[in-house]
Amino acid sequence: TQLLEQSPQFLSIQEGENLTVYCNSSSVFSSLQWYRQEPGEGPVLLVTVVTGGEVKKLKRLTFQFGDARKDSSLHITAAQPGDTGLYLCAGDSGAQKLVFGQGTRLTINP
Amino acid sequence: KAGVTQTPRYLIKTRGQQVTLSCSPISGHRSVSWYQQTPGQGLQFLFEYFSETQRNKGNFPGRFSGRQFSNSRSEMNVSTLELGDSALYLCASSLSRWPTGELFFGEGSRLTVL
């Protein structure tokens, strides 16, 4: 069974700080996606990374896919209260289904 | 365009009952997948349908079933409900099957089993 482990599970920081969330697995994924979920809503796709070593930037968010395609990270610069939410990584195992990590619940305090 | 619509949004059932949840995908999307979300287990894949055919199934007991209609709308059914079935059930639609495209999630149906 392919698993994705996210760390930390919970993170509470002050506005303006930087943070990094990790998504790790012992398995190789053909692609990896990051979603953000806000209370009462479904997850919304932020980015898809498909190439080992790939780095994608989305405003203050930087996503990286590990060279071996087994891990990924999400870095947020100068966090804002609007970044608060549950961040989920999801890997395409190639078996035609997505495997999700447990999520990182991020709280940005004003 | 309209997003993914799930009904009902909230429901309460008792052990032993059965429940049917509905999902209307984004117009033109033919792939519909279902996920169970709980605080302890996170998001777990239930099944995926494409053109009325179940293409993949997760590791859930046979009490969990689903179907897709010709208009791509999908339903999932859980029979003989157990307390552990309490969860947020999310439906997601996508334009293509695989490789993985963007999944568009609905707001979910929150099921509470008493």
Side-chain angles (χ1 to χ4, degrees):
Chain A
T1 302
Q2 292 176 295
L3 296 174
L4 278 168
E5 294 187 3
Q6 288 187 238
S7 61
Q9 288 189 44
F10 300 92
L11 183 59
S12 180
I13 63 172
Q14 294 300 120
E15 181 177 0
E17 294 183 352
N18 302 330
L19 67 108
T20 302
V21 174
Y22 299 93
C23 176
N24 296 298
S25 176
S26 58
S27 304
V28 175
F29 291 94
S30 57
S31 68
L32 198 137
Q33 299 179 334
W34 284 91
Y35 289 82
R36 181 170 68 203
Q37 184 177 20
E38 299 186 26
E41 299 181 8
V44 175
L45 179 68
L46 295 174
V47 76
T48 301
V49 285
V50 297
T51 306
E54 182 176 4
V55 177
K56 280 192 174 179
K57 292 191 175 184
L58 186 66
K59 297 183 180 179
R60 295 177 292 101
L61 278 61
T62 301
F63 304 85
Q64 185 164 7
F65 200 12
D67 292 340
R69 291 185 287 128
K70 293 182 179 181
D71 57 88
S72 181
S73 64
L74 157 61
H75 182 79
I76 300 180
T77 303
Q80 299 178 0
D83 296 326
T84 293
L86 178 67
Y87 288 81
L88 297 157
C89 64
D92 182 348
S93 64
Q96 301 182 342
K97 62 181 179 181
L98 280 182
V99 175
F100 278 83
Q102 294 272 57
T104 294
R105 192 163 298 278
L106 175 64
T107 302
I108 309 300
N109 303 300
Chain B
K1 56 184 177 183
V4 177
T5 304
Q6 290 188 245
T7 57
R9 288 291 311 281
Y10 303 91
L11 66 166
I12 300 174
K13 294 285 186 178
T14 57
R15 279 181 298 174
Q17 288 186 310
Q18 66 93 26
V19 66
T20 298
L21 309 178
S22 179
C23 172
S24 293
I26 291 173
S27 178
H29 286 195
R30 295 168 64 188
S31 173
V32 173
S33 52
W34 289 87
Y35 291 84
Q36 181 195 64
Q37 187 175 30
T38 59
Q41 299 295 321
L43 262 157
Q44 292 189 290
F45 174 78
L46 281 158
F47 25 67
E48 186 251 349
Y49 288 88
F50 185 84
S51 294
E52 301 179 66
T53 301
Q54 185 182 92
R55 292 294 186 176
N56 208 346
K57 192 177 192 304
N59 297 322
F60 279 82
R63 300 185 297 106
F64 291 81
S65 63
R67 58 178 176 169
Q68 185 180 34
F69 302 95
S70 59
N71 61 358
S72 293
R73 189 177 71 86
S74 178
E75 289 182 347
M76 68 162 283
N77 183 276
V78 188
S79 62
T80 319
L81 284 167
E82 300 177 359
L83 295 179
D85 297 333
S86 293
L88 180 67
Y89 290 89
L90 290 163
C91 165
S93 74
S94 64
L95 193 57
S96 61
R97 284 198 59 226
W98 300 95
T100 305
E102 178 175 1
L103 291 182
F104 293 84
F105 283 88
E107 294 178 318
S109 293
R110 184 166 295 281
L111 170 65
T112 301
V113 182
L114 303 177

PDB file of all heavy atoms in Angstrom, chain B residues 52-73:
ATOM      1  N   GLU B  52     -20.142   5.527 -16.921  1.00  0.00           N
ATOM      2  CA  GLU B  52     -21.051   4.567 -16.264  1.00  0.00           C
ATOM      3  C   GLU B  52     -20.373   3.279 -15.805  1.00  0.00           C
ATOM      4  O   GLU B  52     -21.054   2.357 -15.339  1.00  0.00           O
ATOM      5  CB  GLU B  52     -22.221   4.219 -17.193  1.00  0.00           C
ATOM      6  CG  GLU B  52     -23.047   5.434 -17.621  1.00  0.00           C
ATOM      7  CD  GLU B  52     -24.180   5.055 -18.557  1.00  0.00           C
ATOM      8  OE1 GLU B  52     -25.089   4.346 -18.094  1.00  0.00           O
ATOM      9  OE2 GLU B  52     -24.144   5.474 -19.739  1.00  0.00           O
ATOM     10  N   THR B  53     -19.063   3.205 -15.920  1.00  0.00           N
ATOM     11  CA  THR B  53     -18.348   1.991 -15.527  1.00  0.00           C
ATOM     12  C   THR B  53     -17.433   2.282 -14.344  1.00  0.00           C
ATOM     13  O   THR B  53     -16.714   3.278 -14.341  1.00  0.00           O
ATOM     14  CB  THR B  53     -17.499   1.457 -16.698  1.00  0.00           C
ATOM     15  OG1 THR B  53     -18.366   1.176 -17.797  1.00  0.00           O
ATOM     16  CG2 THR B  53     -16.751   0.194 -16.295  1.00  0.00           C
ATOM     17  N   GLN B  54     -17.481   1.405 -13.350  1.00  0.00           N
ATOM     18  CA  GLN B  54     -16.551   1.555 -12.236  1.00  0.00           C
ATOM     19  C   GLN B  54     -15.185   1.085 -12.689  1.00  0.00           C
ATOM     20  O   GLN B  54     -14.994  -0.092 -13.014  1.00  0.00           O
ATOM     21  CB  GLN B  54     -17.003   0.727 -11.024  1.00  0.00           C
ATOM     22  CG  GLN B  54     -16.132   0.954  -9.798  1.00  0.00           C
ATOM     23  CD  GLN B  54     -16.558   0.087  -8.618  1.00  0.00           C
ATOM     24  OE1 GLN B  54     -16.048  -1.024  -8.444  1.00  0.00           O
ATOM     25  NE2 GLN B  54     -17.486   0.592  -7.827  1.00  0.00           N
ATOM     26  N   ARG B  55     -14.204   2.007 -12.667  1.00  0.00           N
ATOM     27  CA  ARG B  55     -12.884   1.691 -13.183  1.00  0.00           C
ATOM     28  C   ARG B  55     -11.907   1.323 -12.089  1.00  0.00           C
ATOM     29  O   ARG B  55     -10.900   0.687 -12.346  1.00  0.00           O
ATOM     30  CB  ARG B  55     -12.332   2.881 -13.967  1.00  0.00           C
ATOM     31  CG  ARG B  55     -13.092   3.161 -15.249  1.00  0.00           C
ATOM     32  CD  ARG B  55     -12.925   2.024 -16.247  1.00  0.00           C
ATOM     33  NE  ARG B  55     -13.528   2.331 -17.539  1.00  0.00           N
ATOM     34  CZ  ARG B  55     -13.451   1.535 -18.598  1.00  0.00           C
ATOM     35  NH1 ARG B  55     -12.807   0.388 -18.506  1.00  0.00           N
ATOM     36  NH2 ARG B  55     -14.022   1.892 -19.730  1.00  0.00           N
ATOM     37  N   ASN B  56     -12.175   1.749 -10.897  1.00  0.00           N
ATOM     38  CA  ASN B  56     -11.250   1.447  -9.812  1.00  0.00           C
ATOM     39  C   ASN B  56     -11.991   1.517  -8.484  1.00  0.00           C
ATOM     40  O   ASN B  56     -12.984   2.251  -8.364  1.00  0.00           O
ATOM     41  CB  ASN B  56     -10.090   2.458  -9.808  1.00  0.00           C
ATOM     42  CG  ASN B  56      -8.827   1.862  -9.231  1.00  0.00           C
ATOM     43  OD1 ASN B  56      -8.849   0.808  -8.600  1.00  0.00           O
ATOM     44  ND2 ASN B  56      -7.723   2.530  -9.444  1.00  0.00           N
ATOM     45  N   LYS B  57     -11.530   0.747  -7.540  1.00  0.00           N
ATOM     46  CA  LYS B  57     -12.197   0.681  -6.243  1.00  0.00           C
ATOM     47  C   LYS B  57     -11.152   0.674  -5.151  1.00  0.00           C
ATOM     48  O   LYS B  57     -10.110   0.025  -5.282  1.00  0.00           O
ATOM     49  CB  LYS B  57     -13.060  -0.574  -6.165  1.00  0.00           C
ATOM     50  CG  LYS B  57     -14.012  -0.616  -4.987  1.00  0.00           C
ATOM     51  CD  LYS B  57     -14.871  -1.865  -5.039  1.00  0.00           C
ATOM     52  CE  LYS B  57     -16.028  -1.836  -4.057  1.00  0.00           C
ATOM     53  NZ  LYS B  57     -15.621  -1.622  -2.658  1.00  0.00           N
ATOM     54  N   GLY B  58     -11.422   1.380  -4.081  1.00  0.00           N
ATOM     55  CA  GLY B  58     -10.521   1.400  -2.939  1.00  0.00           C
ATOM     56  C   GLY B  58     -10.784   0.233  -2.009  1.00  0.00           C
ATOM     57  O   GLY B  58     -11.596  -0.649  -2.294  1.00  0.00           O
ATOM     58  N   ASN B  59     -10.107   0.235  -0.881  1.00  0.00           N
ATOM     59  CA  ASN B  59     -10.200  -0.869   0.071  1.00  0.00           C
ATOM     60  C   ASN B  59     -11.306  -0.652   1.078  1.00  0.00           C
ATOM     61  O   ASN B  59     -11.057  -0.433   2.266  1.00  0.00           O
ATOM     62  CB  ASN B  59      -8.869  -1.050   0.784  1.00  0.00           C
ATOM     63  CG  ASN B  59      -7.768  -1.423  -0.178  1.00  0.00           C
ATOM     64  OD1 ASN B  59      -7.991  -2.180  -1.122  1.00  0.00           O
ATOM     65  ND2 ASN B  59      -6.572  -0.898   0.047  1.00  0.00           N
ATOM     66  N   PHE B  60     -12.520  -0.684   0.624  1.00  0.00           N
ATOM     67  CA  PHE B  60     -13.684  -0.533   1.488  1.00  0.00           C
ATOM     68  C   PHE B  60     -14.554  -1.782   1.349  1.00  0.00           C
ATOM     69  O   PHE B  60     -14.564  -2.434   0.309  1.00  0.00           O
ATOM     70  CB  PHE B  60     -14.485   0.715   1.102  1.00  0.00           C
ATOM     71  CG  PHE B  60     -13.918   1.988   1.651  1.00  0.00           C
ATOM     72  CD1 PHE B  60     -12.859   2.621   1.012  1.00  0.00           C
ATOM     73  CD2 PHE B  60     -14.428   2.544   2.822  1.00  0.00           C
ATOM     74  CE1 PHE B  60     -12.321   3.792   1.526  1.00  0.00           C
ATOM     75  CE2 PHE B  60     -13.897   3.718   3.333  1.00  0.00           C
ATOM     76  CZ  PHE B  60     -12.844   4.339   2.687  1.00  0.00           C
ATOM     77  N   PRO B  61     -15.299  -2.092   2.419  1.00  0.00           N
ATOM     78  CA  PRO B  61     -16.146  -3.299   2.358  1.00  0.00           C
ATOM     79  C   PRO B  61     -17.259  -3.149   1.330  1.00  0.00           C
ATOM     80  O   PRO B  61     -17.564  -2.056   0.863  1.00  0.00           O
ATOM     81  CB  PRO B  61     -16.718  -3.390   3.786  1.00  0.00           C
ATOM     82  CG  PRO B  61     -16.564  -2.043   4.367  1.00  0.00           C
ATOM     83  CD  PRO B  61     -15.351  -1.437   3.738  1.00  0.00           C
ATOM     84  N   GLY B  62     -17.876  -4.275   1.019  1.00  0.00           N
ATOM     85  CA  GLY B  62     -18.912  -4.300   0.001  1.00  0.00           C
ATOM     86  C   GLY B  62     -20.158  -3.492   0.353  1.00  0.00           C
ATOM     87  O   GLY B  62     -21.003  -3.253  -0.519  1.00  0.00           O
ATOM     88  N   ARG B  63     -20.229  -3.041   1.611  1.00  0.00           N
ATOM     89  CA  ARG B  63     -21.378  -2.204   2.007  1.00  0.00           C
ATOM     90  C   ARG B  63     -21.361  -0.860   1.266  1.00  0.00           C
ATOM     91  O   ARG B  63     -22.367  -0.168   1.189  1.00  0.00           O
ATOM     92  CB  ARG B  63     -21.337  -1.922   3.515  1.00  0.00           C
ATOM     93  CG  ARG B  63     -21.388  -3.143   4.390  1.00  0.00           C
ATOM     94  CD  ARG B  63     -21.461  -2.770   5.877  1.00  0.00           C
ATOM     95  NE  ARG B  63     -20.283  -2.051   6.342  1.00  0.00           N
ATOM     96  CZ  ARG B  63     -20.250  -0.761   6.615  1.00  0.00           C
ATOM     97  NH1 ARG B  63     -21.328  -0.008   6.466  1.00  0.00           N
ATOM     98  NH2 ARG B  63     -19.128  -0.190   7.065  1.00  0.00           N
ATOM     99  N   PHE B  64     -20.198  -0.516   0.764  1.00  0.00           N
ATOM    100  CA  PHE B  64     -20.053   0.730   0.012  1.00  0.00           C
ATOM    101  C   PHE B  64     -20.175   0.411  -1.477  1.00  0.00           C
ATOM    102  O   PHE B  64     -19.422  -0.417  -2.011  1.00  0.00           O
ATOM    103  CB  PHE B  64     -18.695   1.360   0.293  1.00  0.00           C
ATOM    104  CG  PHE B  64     -18.540   1.880   1.680  1.00  0.00           C
ATOM    105  CD1 PHE B  64     -18.226   1.025   2.735  1.00  0.00           C
ATOM    106  CD2 PHE B  64     -18.706   3.227   1.959  1.00  0.00           C
ATOM    107  CE1 PHE B  64     -18.090   1.507   4.029  1.00  0.00           C
ATOM    108  CE2 PHE B  64     -18.559   3.720   3.249  1.00  0.00           C
ATOM    109  CZ  PHE B  64     -18.260   2.858   4.291  1.00  0.00           C
ATOM    110  N   SER B  65     -21.109   1.044  -2.124  1.00  0.00           N
ATOM    111  CA  SER B  65     -21.300   0.808  -3.547  1.00  0.00           C
ATOM    112  C   SER B  65     -21.648   2.117  -4.233  1.00  0.00           C
ATOM    113  O   SER B  65     -21.963   3.117  -3.583  1.00  0.00           O
ATOM    114  CB  SER B  65     -22.413  -0.216  -3.784  1.00  0.00           C
ATOM    115  OG  SER B  65     -23.653   0.278  -3.302  1.00  0.00           O
ATOM    116  N   GLY B  66     -21.578   2.101  -5.526  1.00  0.00           N
ATOM    117  CA  GLY B  66     -21.890   3.312  -6.265  1.00  0.00           C
ATOM    118  C   GLY B  66     -22.345   2.997  -7.662  1.00  0.00           C
ATOM    119  O   GLY B  66     -22.359   1.831  -8.092  1.00  0.00           O
ATOM    120  N   ARG B  67     -22.737   4.023  -8.358  1.00  0.00           N
ATOM    121  CA  ARG B  67     -23.080   3.868  -9.755  1.00  0.00           C
ATOM    122  C   ARG B  67     -23.018   5.224 -10.432  1.00  0.00           C
ATOM    123  O   ARG B  67     -23.042   6.270  -9.764  1.00  0.00           O
ATOM    124  CB  ARG B  67     -24.467   3.251  -9.924  1.00  0.00           C
ATOM    125  CG  ARG B  67     -25.602   4.026  -9.276  1.00  0.00           C
ATOM    126  CD  ARG B  67     -26.926   3.347  -9.539  1.00  0.00           C
ATOM    127  NE  ARG B  67     -28.041   3.991  -8.852  1.00  0.00           N
ATOM    128  CZ  ARG B  67     -29.317   3.703  -9.098  1.00  0.00           C
ATOM    129  NH1 ARG B  67     -29.647   2.800  -9.987  1.00  0.00           N
ATOM    130  NH2 ARG B  67     -30.271   4.325  -8.423  1.00  0.00           N
ATOM    131  N   GLN B  68     -22.956   5.203 -11.741  1.00  0.00           N
ATOM    132  CA  GLN B  68     -22.950   6.435 -12.502  1.00  0.00           C
ATOM    133  C   GLN B  68     -23.988   6.309 -13.601  1.00  0.00           C
ATOM    134  O   GLN B  68     -24.117   5.256 -14.244  1.00  0.00           O
ATOM    135  CB  GLN B  68     -21.572   6.709 -13.102  1.00  0.00           C
ATOM    136  CG  GLN B  68     -21.477   8.057 -13.813  1.00  0.00           C
ATOM    137  CD  GLN B  68     -20.103   8.314 -14.402  1.00  0.00           C
ATOM    138  OE1 GLN B  68     -19.421   7.403 -14.857  1.00  0.00           O
ATOM    139  NE2 GLN B  68     -19.681   9.575 -14.392  1.00  0.00           N
ATOM    140  N   PHE B  69     -24.702   7.373 -13.838  1.00  0.00           N
ATOM    141  CA  PHE B  69     -25.761   7.380 -14.836  1.00  0.00           C
ATOM    142  C   PHE B  69     -25.241   7.934 -16.164  1.00  0.00           C
ATOM    143  O   PHE B  69     -24.138   8.474 -16.236  1.00  0.00           O
ATOM    144  CB  PHE B  69     -26.939   8.201 -14.317  1.00  0.00           C
ATOM    145  CG  PHE B  69     -27.485   7.695 -13.009  1.00  0.00           C
ATOM    146  CD1 PHE B  69     -27.055   8.243 -11.803  1.00  0.00           C
ATOM    147  CD2 PHE B  69     -28.407   6.658 -12.975  1.00  0.00           C
ATOM    148  CE1 PHE B  69     -27.542   7.769 -10.589  1.00  0.00           C
ATOM    149  CE2 PHE B  69     -28.901   6.179 -11.777  1.00  0.00           C
ATOM    150  CZ  PHE B  69     -28.462   6.740 -10.576  1.00  0.00           C
ATOM    151  N   SER B  70     -26.059   7.829 -17.169  1.00  0.00           N
ATOM    152  CA  SER B  70     -25.642   8.246 -18.510  1.00  0.00           C
ATOM    153  C   SER B  70     -25.347   9.743 -18.594  1.00  0.00           C
ATOM    154  O   SER B  70     -24.609  10.186 -19.475  1.00  0.00           O
ATOM    155  CB  SER B  70     -26.706   7.859 -19.543  1.00  0.00           C
ATOM    156  OG  SER B  70     -27.953   8.457 -19.229  1.00  0.00           O
ATOM    157  N   ASN B  71     -25.915  10.519 -17.670  1.00  0.00           N
ATOM    158  CA  ASN B  71     -25.636  11.965 -17.681  1.00  0.00           C
ATOM    159  C   ASN B  71     -24.445  12.315 -16.782  1.00  0.00           C
ATOM    160  O   ASN B  71     -24.218  13.476 -16.472  1.00  0.00           O
ATOM    161  CB  ASN B  71     -26.870  12.743 -17.227  1.00  0.00           C
ATOM    162  CG  ASN B  71     -27.301  12.397 -15.810  1.00  0.00           C
ATOM    163  OD1 ASN B  71     -26.687  11.533 -15.170  1.00  0.00           O
ATOM    164  ND2 ASN B  71     -28.336  13.048 -15.329  1.00  0.00           N
ATOM    165  N   SER B  72     -23.698  11.292 -16.389  1.00  0.00           N
ATOM    166  CA  SER B  72     -22.494  11.393 -15.550  1.00  0.00           C
ATOM    167  C   SER B  72     -22.777  11.629 -14.072  1.00  0.00           C
ATOM    168  O   SER B  72     -21.854  11.563 -13.265  1.00  0.00           O
ATOM    169  CB  SER B  72     -21.515  12.462 -16.054  1.00  0.00           C
ATOM    170  OG  SER B  72     -20.976  12.089 -17.295  1.00  0.00           O
ATOM    171  N   ARG B  73     -24.007  11.890 -13.712  1.00  0.00           N
ATOM    172  CA  ARG B  73     -24.328  12.002 -12.290  1.00  0.00           C
ATOM    173  C   ARG B  73     -24.035  10.672 -11.610  1.00  0.00           C
ATOM    174  O   ARG B  73     -24.142   9.593 -12.216  1.00  0.00           O
ATOM    175  CB  ARG B  73     -25.787  12.372 -12.100  1.00  0.00           C
ATOM    176  CG  ARG B  73     -26.174  12.729 -10.666  1.00  0.00           C
ATOM    177  CD  ARG B  73     -27.641  13.171 -10.576  1.00  0.00           C
ATOM    178  NE  ARG B  73     -28.552  12.040 -10.776  1.00  0.00           N
ATOM    179  CZ  ARG B  73     -28.948  11.220  -9.802  1.00  0.00           C
ATOM    180  NH1 ARG B  73     -28.493  11.383  -8.570  1.00  0.00           N
ATOM    181  NH2 ARG B  73     -29.802  10.250 -10.066  1.00  0.00           N
TER     182      ARG B  73
END
